[in-house]
Amino acid sequence: MDFSFTEKEEAFRTELRTWLENNLPDGWLEGNRELPEELNEYSIFLRNWQRKLYEGGWAAIAWPEKYGGRDATLIEEIIYQQEMVRLKAPPLVNYVGIHMVAPTLMQIGTEDQKEAYIQKILTGEEVWCQGYSEPNAGSDLTAIQTAAVKDGDKWIINGQKVWTSFGHLADRCFLLARTSRGEKKHKGITVFLLDMKQPGVETRPIIQMDGKHDFNEVYLTDAVAYDSDIVGELDEGWRVMIALLMHERTGIGAQVFTLEQQFQDLAAMAKELHEDGSPLIKNPFVRKTMVDLYTKSKGSLLNYYRNLTKTLKSGQPGAEGSMDKLMVSELTQELFSQSVSIQGHQGMLWKEDAVAGKSYWQENYLYSFGMTIGGGTSEVQRNTIAERILGLPKDIGR
Ligand SMILES: Cc1cc2nc3c(=O)[nH]c(=O)nc-3n(C[C@H](O)[C@H](O)[C@H](O)COP(=O)(O)OP(=O)(O)OC[C@H]3O[C@@H](n4cnc5c(N)ncnc54)[C@H](O)[C@@H]3O)c2cc1C
């Protein structure tokens, strides 16, 4: 493994860093990073940011040039992640579209689908969500009940989805529906590209324990789709779904760079906050905690690089993505738990009362529980690691 960057790669970093410094929203570099709370303003703010990234050629660097990307190498993607995180750039409102839907359409979609959707995903004109999970189908997606029934030239779709991130902002949904019932449960599932703005689609907010609204329940009552909205083959959506999930897991694993930055922020907070007149960082318990977290976050990063080296050699992301996802999500939870804990009684304060960063630490601690569930729970990742990396026997009951 060679961790040094070439001159060309460092030039790429400088180009991106300069662009970000010149184009981040007003006040962002100075630390004013509050996103609007009102939904419409929030949506406009993030869509504008995505448009700016697109115009600068920074919206989807990993995509092929013919679709508006930069054909970036994996190393350039790492540099991209590092710089976005270092300057704490605003999140991507069309994360699902850019990192999951469009790459899957490039792989499996028809020419008409590519033509209709890919450019609009890139510009942020159409935001996407992912409609997989249902009240009784999460880890086991073969249990989905949402059904699509053919009626003339239409598909009529009924059912309920849950935990649909960005569903309230989305124009379209990458939706799993059952189209027939065969002997094997994973057969008879089809992926549809669903118009979220039609009358048969109702989105209800789920408010998280931190008071925020990121995901939703989605009710489908005689919603309509057409043959041209099917991705891949009818009844063969399983393969399409797995392709999308691979993109999702690899993306979550890359949050190891965010974790690194969060560790740096934690160290800064421990130097700034005082207890009994002494900075927290001088407290032996805090020092031990910091060393422990540093060791683990460095370990995660090196593991990520090791997996990446394997991907670079084979050209394919493998089951190791589950390892990255597991380590990053569990460690993020530990980091934020410790960040609140070392604040002592001050750790219980919220919003304007909070002493460090307007409850940034508290909010992220609450949010971190979702990270070990979304994109596949830790238990499911452990199963994948056991079976596909360690070669252990299959999970009992499957
Ligand atoms: C922040 C966040 C964002 C999300 N965004 C989306 C989205 O945009 N679109 C979408 O479709 N879904 C989304 N989800 C849903 C997510 O994918 C599911 O919650 C997840 O797959 C788990 O499914 P479940 O909640 O039905 O739990 P279940 O599958 O019912 O699991 C319950 C418990 O049983 C364990 N378990 C289940 N099967 C096994 C097994 N074989 N071996 C060992 N343990 C097992 C699980 O690990 C878990 O602890 C999101 C979830 C979160 C938290």
Side-chain angles (χ1 to χ4, degrees):
M1 276 184 281
D2 177 7
F3 299 136
S4 54
F5 296 101
T6 64
E7 258 181 50
K8 192 165 162 258
E9 284 158 357
E10 286 301 350
F12 173 84
R13 184 192 298 281
T14 308
E15 187 193 348
L16 171 60
R17 188 176 289 186
T18 311
W19 186 88
L20 281 173
E21 284 168 358
N22 291 327
N23 287 282
L24 279 167
D26 288 344
W28 205 265
L29 279 177
E30 293 74 41
N32 179 15
R33 303 193 188 100
E34 291 284 304
L35 293 170
E37 285 201 8
E38 197 276 317
L39 184 62
N40 202 28
E41 284 177 35
Y42 173 83
S43 169
I44 292 172
F45 181 93
L46 289 183
R47 282 181 197 244
N48 283 346
W49 170 238
Q50 174 150 354
R51 180 88 204 174
K52 220 171 192 183
L53 284 169
Y54 159 71
E55 284 163 2
W58 297 107
I61 64 161
W63 288 15
E65 275 179 34
K66 76 168 184 170
Y67 293 119
R70 289 182 175 236
D71 260 327
T73 62
L74 274 177
I75 302 292
E76 285 170 340
E77 281 184 63
I78 289 184
I79 295 172
Y80 182 82
Q81 293 289 343
Q82 287 176 331
E83 291 305 308
M84 295 302 254
V85 163
R86 199 179 62 81
L87 292 174
K88 301 191 167 77
L92 270 186
V93 64
N94 211 6
Y95 183 90
V96 172
I98 289 204
H99 290 288
M100 290 140 76
V101 176
T104 310
L105 288 182
M106 288 174 204
Q107 226 176 311
I108 304 171
T110 63
E111 285 311 311
D112 284 350
Q113 288 168 346
K114 290 176 194 172
E115 174 100 4
Y117 302 123
I118 289 181
Q119 171 80 3
K120 287 183 182 162
I121 287 177
L122 192 64
T123 59
E125 209 176 326
E126 279 186 352
V127 171
W128 283 71
C129 63
Q130 176 199 32
Y132 281 20
S133 307
E134 298 187 5
N136 293 310
S139 305
D140 178 13
L141 284 171
T142 61
I144 60 161
Q145 296 295 321
T146 292
V149 176
K150 191 82 194 254
D151 180 14
D153 66 337
K154 293 178 187 162
W155 287 91
I156 307 296
I157 307 179
N158 283 286
Q160 187 200 336
K161 296 287 168 184
V162 71
W163 315 122
T164 318
S165 303
F166 311 108
H168 53 307
L169 301 173
D171 303 284
R172 296 212 155 247
C173 180
F174 198 85
L175 184 100
L176 280 192
R178 187 158 282 291
T179 36
S180 71
R181 288 181 193 277
E183 273 173 28
K184 292 191 175 153
K185 275 168 70 188
H186 67 279
K187 292 273 177 195
I189 292 174
T190 302
V191 172
F192 290 91
L193 303 175
L194 189 83
D195 177 1
M196 290 288 284
K197 300 294 181 198
Q198 59 175 301
V201 179
E202 188 200 342
T203 304
R204 294 186 198 162
I206 297 177
I207 305 300
Q208 295 139 221
M209 61 179 157
D210 61 0
K212 291 193 177 142
H213 169 201
D214 289 327
F215 42 41
N216 310 269
E217 293 176 299
V218 176
Y219 291 85
L220 303 161
T221 313
D222 293 338
V224 173
Y226 298 89
D227 282 342
S228 55
D229 297 320
I230 292 176
V231 186
E233 301 293 316
L234 179 68
D235 289 342
E236 299 290 338
W238 195 252
R239 200 170 69 85
V240 183
M241 185 204 87
I242 297 288
L244 184 127
L245 280 182
M246 288 301 278
H247 291 297
E248 179 171 21
R249 273 171 209 172
T250 310
I252 298 176
Q255 286 181 19
V256 70
F257 301 110
T258 311
L259 186 66
E260 244 201 328
Q261 181 60 43
Q262 284 159 343
F263 178 81
Q264 299 300 338
D265 292 345
L266 180 62
M269 188 261 277
K271 284 180 196 155
E272 199 185 304
L273 270 195
H274 285 62
E275 200 172 53
D276 300 332
S278 175
L280 286 182
I281 195 78
K282 294 250 162 118
N283 178 318
F285 167 75
V286 174
R287 294 177 83 81
K288 183 185 168 304
T289 304
M290 296 300 294
V291 168
D292 193 31
L293 287 171
Y294 178 79
T295 314
K296 288 180 184 163
S297 69
K298 264 287 175 254
S300 290
L301 184 69
L302 293 178
N303 195 56
Y304 179 76
Y305 281 154
R306 189 179 61 157
N307 291 340
L308 199 71
T309 307
K310 195 174 164 221
T311 307
L312 281 169
K313 282 185 185 151
S314 69
Q316 297 283 347
E320 288 78 9
S322 285
M323 224 158 127
D324 294 328
K325 199 266 167 186
L326 177 70
M327 287 178 83
V328 166
S329 56
E330 299 246 322
L331 190 52
T332 301
Q333 206 177 99
E334 189 180 336
L335 184 140
F336 282 106
S337 165
Q338 295 290 10
S339 75
V340 174
S341 169
I342 64 173
Q343 290 182 40
H345 62 282
Q346 305 179 115
M348 290 187 284
L349 302 176
W350 186 247
K351 293 283 178 196
E352 55 277 3
D353 296 327
V355 285
K358 290 192 184 155
S359 69
Y360 165 84
W361 300 102
Q362 288 83 343
E363 284 176 36
N364 275 288
Y365 174 50
L366 297 182
Y367 186 78
S368 68
F369 289 91
M371 280 185 71
T372 57
I373 301 171
T377 64
S378 290
E379 290 77 14
V380 168
Q381 306 305 330
R382 285 195 180 93
N383 278 350
T384 306
I385 294 165
E387 290 165 21
R388 299 205 23 220
I389 302 180
L390 302 177
L392 295 175
K394 271 207 173 296
D395 181 20
I396 298 169
R398 283 203 299 151

